[in-house]
Amino acid sequence: MDRFKIHGGKKLNGTVQISGAKNAALPAMAAALLTSDPVTLQNIPRVRDIITMAKLLAHMRCVVGSPDLPPSEFTIRAENVSMQEAPYELVKTMRASVLTLGPLVARFGHARVSLPGGCAIGARPVDLHIQALEALGAETKVEHGYVEARAKRLRGATFRFPKITVTGTENILTAAVLAEGETILENSAMEPEVTDLAELLIKMGAKIEGVGTSTLRVQGVDKLHGATHAIIPDRIETGTFLVAGAITGGELLLTNCEPGHLKTVIEKLRSCGVEIKCEGNGKVRVRAGKKLVAADVTTEEYPGFATDMQAQFMALATQAEGVSKVRETIFENRFMHASEMARMGANISIDANLAVVTGPTPLSGAPVTASDLRASAGLVLAALVADNTTTIDRVYHIDRGYERIEEKLTQVGAHIERVTDSR
Ligand code: UD1
């Protein structure tokens, strides 16, 4: 199991190229199941979840090929899909495997996908995915840890998500595009990753209106065709590096990003005294400013403050003067990084979904354990300002979603080393 050893206290300076968004690439890969033609995806991040999705598609007998290694471009050919099943072994390592449910049942009339079960950041059920598929006429059965869905052909319907769900919206959108007639999805997620998926589907011949709004209107078509699509930049990686520049008191230029996708995060960081300049052409410059000051944050669905940036913001709050209240409204149990940061000297108290961070406190290097993808990013940021050495265990969490994070940080002056041992 790999660990990171980080020697904190270095100002980060230089340029970081932002990768493609994992959370946009995953539904795009699943959408390739909708056609027998090749679908080529570019700007794919080289992270473990993408490899898991490629394995899952290969398990279904798709041909997944890439001109470069490790891949940043894939062509997926779902011509001879003979296995419409996502097995437990793959789903348990990546919840987003459930994204294959909608496209499989839409094109083949049948899908069997293992239930993701609980995970470190809360129960995270898929009941809304199932409810919405049923509204489109699928018969579903949950048995032996699997959800099975069948429909000769899905029928368009109006469905209002009782709660906003990102992968739920993506799953049902990729089902509705091949359904008979019109589907209206109300209270849909408006995340840029959903919009990116809709744009890919439109290139494949889908008829979708209301893209970027909470009401998606789909006219089902009989068949979709191949397409080539470049995945949007990763807004969470962008936000993480914005905090990295700010927290270490350095100056970073981030390239290949889309600041329009993280307006709320940028505004919040500015209110903490961070200087952020959007320079056009996918470039954003970040500098610490004179002093970091506290700010309150409540996580919300897009365009609100992303829950996936909460742990990173908390790391910043430990270095800001005053009291920052961080309220998590999307997931239960998403403060596990707080106790690890407290072990490094942070002053954080938790009451249900509210964390109160009083800063600034000097952080001191300590052995800590990553509990999920974004929690690990928060711990890396805390370690960058801690004195001495921090060892972060279980970095496989961060490898799921951040491309070469230790290389990118090293390039701008951080002292970070990956330690592989055979424990
Ligand atoms: C996606 C992102 C994840 C991000 C999250 C919220 C991907 C691959 N992952 O996760 O990084 O943190 O959005 O922005 O894109 N819920 C239900 N029933 C359901 C579905 C969801 O109750 O059927 C609840 C969840 O438990 C959670 C809330 O709805 O409390 C939002 O979850 P959702 O938007 O579905 O998160 P994901 O799509 O899993």
Side-chain angles (χ1 to χ4, degrees):
M1 237 192 282
D2 289 4
R3 285 172 290 155
F4 280 156
K5 252 184 164 175
I6 300 175
H7 305 273
K10 304 277 174 286
K11 284 189 180 186
L12 303 190
N13 282 293
T15 302
V16 177
Q17 189 177 336
I18 298 302
S19 302
K22 161 186 93 76
N23 285 356
L26 292 172
M29 290 172 78
L33 285 167
L34 289 166
T35 174
S36 56
D37 290 349
V39 172
T40 298
L41 300 171
Q42 299 158 336
N43 201 30
I44 296 270
R46 300 160 197 201
V47 298
R48 208 163 51 99
D49 274 6
I50 296 296
I51 296 167
T52 306
M53 184 59 97
K55 274 191 193 157
L56 180 57
L57 295 176
H59 170 87
M60 294 169 179
R61 314 285 185 258
C62 294
V63 179
V64 185
S66 177
D68 51 327
L69 220 68
S72 65
E73 180 176 320
F74 276 142
T75 296
I76 301 166
R77 290 180 180 80
E79 203 176 349
N80 300 309
V81 174
S82 56
M83 173 76 86
Q84 293 111 30
E85 179 177 300
Y88 177 64
E89 293 67 45
L90 292 169
V91 178
K92 75 173 180 201
T93 63
M94 188 187 64
R95 214 183 164 273
S97 310
V98 75
L99 284 165
T100 54
L101 185 64
L104 284 176
V105 72
R107 179 161 160 224
F108 302 103
H110 173 245
R112 190 167 180 267
V113 175
S114 170
L115 287 170
C119 81
I121 57 171
R124 297 182 85 175
V126 289
D127 54 322
L128 303 178
H129 302 229
I130 298 172
Q131 256 184 50
L133 268 187
E134 283 175 350
L136 296 193
E139 277 179 28
T140 67
K141 196 164 71 177
V142 178
E143 217 174 49
H144 312 302
Y146 278 76
V147 51
E148 197 161 352
R150 282 182 192 279
K152 255 203 186 119
R153 183 163 181 199
L154 293 171
R155 284 186 317 270
T158 296
F159 182 80
R160 183 176 179 82
F161 288 98
K163 182 173 189 175
I164 297 175
T165 157
V166 177
T167 47
T169 302
E170 292 164 347
N171 221 345
I172 305 314
L173 181 62
T174 43
V177 288
L178 284 184
E180 192 178 345
E182 183 179 68
T183 299
I184 301 172
L185 299 177
E186 295 171 350
N187 203 29
S188 296
M190 296 190 282
E191 268 66 4
E193 294 75 19
V194 177
T195 298
D196 198 42
L197 171 67
E199 280 167 7
L200 165 65
L201 292 170
I202 290 168
K203 283 185 193 167
M204 293 168 71
K207 298 207 165 79
I208 308 171
E209 282 172 29
V211 175
T213 75
S214 63
T215 303
L216 296 168
R217 202 177 273 266
V218 184
Q219 303 295 335
V221 295
D222 292 340
K223 220 173 158 202
L224 293 173
H225 50 74
T228 297
H229 184 70
I231 299 297
I232 53 169
D234 195 315
R235 64 195 166 103
I236 306 301
E237 188 195 19
T238 308
T240 303
F241 276 100
L242 287 178
V243 175
I247 204 171
T248 62
E251 179 171 336
L252 293 179
L253 176 68
L254 311 184
T255 62
N256 192 32
C257 52
E258 176 44 85
H261 290 165
L262 62 168
K263 284 189 186 141
T264 313
V265 167
I266 290 176
E267 270 166 33
K268 190 55 73 178
L269 293 178
R270 280 182 178 149
S271 76
C272 294
V274 180
E275 288 176 18
I276 298 174
K277 210 165 126 202
C278 301
E279 300 188 345
N281 238 341
K283 292 191 178 125
V284 181
R285 192 175 292 277
V286 60
R287 224 189 346 224
K290 283 195 190 75
K291 189 166 99 180
L292 286 173
V293 290
D296 297 340
V297 149
T298 298
T299 61
E300 282 167 354
E301 293 89 355
Y302 192 84
F305 192 96
T307 174
D308 284 353
M309 276 300 298
Q310 181 254 104
Q312 301 88 318
F313 181 82
M314 197 180 286
L316 186 84
T318 68
Q319 301 308 299
E321 191 171 303
V323 176
S324 300
K325 291 187 185 144
V326 180
R327 199 177 290 277
E328 173 58 56
T329 72
I330 306 294
F331 291 113
E332 55 191 274
N333 204 11
R334 208 180 192 181
F335 280 147
M336 279 171 302
H337 44 279
S339 52
E340 295 300 273
M341 287 179 193
R343 293 181 56 247
M344 298 171 72
N347 181 347
I348 306 174
S349 63
I350 305 279
D351 180 11
N353 72 340
L354 177 70
V356 179
V357 188
T358 308
T361 45
L363 299 182
S364 65
V368 292
T369 301
S371 51
D372 69 64
L373 171 54
R374 307 304 171 183
S376 9
L379 293 178
V380 168
L381 293 168
L384 289 175
V385 285
D387 74 355
N388 231 308
T389 305
T390 299
T391 312
I392 305 180
D393 222 338
R394 301 199 183 165
V395 298
Y396 58 83
H397 285 297
I398 208 160
D399 293 335
R400 284 190 42 212
Y402 285 86
E403 176 171 324
R404 301 179 293 110
I405 191 167
E406 72 271 33
E407 277 175 45
K408 290 190 184 187
L409 285 169
T410 302
Q411 268 168 21
V412 291
H415 282 192
I416 172 168
E417 173 191 358
R418 181 182 289 264
V419 182
T420 305
D421 60 20
S422 49
R423 278 182 307 156

